Amino acid sequence: MQQHKRIRIAVIDDQRLFAEAVATRLSVEPDLQITGVAGSSTEAMELFSRNEIDVVTLDLALTGEDGLAVGRKLLAQWPNLGIVIVTGSADSRRVSEAVQMGVLGWVSKEGAVETLLIAVRGAARGETHLPAGLLTQVLAALSDPGRLSPEAGDMALLTAREMDVLRCLMNGRSRNEVGALLQISPNTVRTHIQSIL
């Protein structure tokens, strides 16, 4: 019987107790392997330089540096990294910014562990996981560009394919499901998502 490769995970959160608790909980899953815990951008870069990591759970509110800035640095060096934001924030502007830069998941610190597990495993497969309520906020914000950054596009400017992708996402489909349904690759779906947001 073939043994599947475990998903290698790093946990980045400056609240050490929380980070250790997340790491301990994830480590009991047979398909997950914790490679380390970091509390800052510097520690994160050191951790990544010494380990192969598939997915990182990343807090937005890191001491001294914004979590999305840390995520950008990580993606610049490890573009295939799956990033799952684990935060207390639910700002649609921040969610949109995160998805644009390549974040695959967004999980509330107050949510269930099962939700985090779904997001982590999905990120390892290249799938996007946004809670339905947040997705709705982001889509509503897209229809009113003034609620997002000035660069955010008007819904009327979306291509027909982008509208197809958007409809699929609104129906709760994963990136792989959208790709299969529209007969395009998951990477192409990701590109459309980044264009939309």
Side-chain angles (χ1 to χ4, degrees):
M1 184 168 135
Q2 184 180 359
Q3 203 169 16
H4 295 287
K5 184 179 83 117
R6 293 200 293 169
I7 301 167
R8 297 163 298 195
I9 302 168
V11 178
I12 303 175
D13 195 302
D14 61 358
Q15 294 180 351
R16 198 72 184 192
L17 190 59
F18 178 82
E20 294 287 355
V22 169
T24 299
R25 175 58 186 86
L26 295 180
S27 68
V28 303
E29 298 293 320
D31 60 330
L32 307 181
Q33 173 188 345
I34 300 299
T35 56
V37 174
S40 68
S41 173
T42 303
E43 287 180 12
M45 299 309 277
E46 289 174 7
L47 179 64
F48 274 77
S49 69
R50 296 188 314 263
N51 298 280
E52 289 187 33
I53 299 170
D54 303 308
V55 176
V56 60
T57 68
L58 177 61
D59 186 19
L60 278 186
L62 296 173
T63 302
E65 190 163 15
D66 178 73
L68 291 186
V70 173
R72 279 190 196 90
K73 286 182 184 177
L74 294 173
L75 286 172
Q77 291 193 44
W78 297 279
N80 294 323
L81 176 67
I83 297 180
V84 176
I85 299 294
V86 181
T87 184
S89 172
D91 180 353
S92 59
R93 184 183 311 241
R94 300 285 277 157
V95 180
S96 177
E97 183 183 352
V99 173
Q100 277 185 301
M101 63 174 262
V103 166
L104 295 177
W106 190 284
V107 177
S108 169
K109 283 189 172 181
E110 298 168 5
V113 172
E114 288 71 24
T115 304
L116 178 58
L117 291 170
I118 290 168
V120 164
R121 289 175 175 132
R125 295 187 298 266
E127 297 173 1
T128 303
H129 174 84
L130 295 177
L134 276 181
L135 180 58
T136 301
Q137 288 178 34
V138 171
L139 295 176
L142 281 171
S143 66
D144 179 6
R147 289 174 55 189
L148 289 174
S149 65
E151 296 83 20
D154 193 336
M155 293 284 277
L157 300 178
L158 297 180
T159 66
R161 180 56 86 189
E162 288 168 348
M163 287 300 293
D164 291 340
V165 169
L166 193 54
R167 284 188 199 96
C168 290
L169 291 173
M170 290 174 69
N171 288 325
R173 296 187 188 276
S174 72
R175 183 184 304 167
N176 286 348
E177 290 171 336
V178 173
L181 188 66
L182 300 179
Q183 298 181 337
I184 55 179
S185 76
N187 284 338
T188 301
V189 174
R190 181 180 187 168
T191 301
H192 284 310
I193 292 170
Q194 290 172 343
S195 297
I196 291 167
L197 298 176

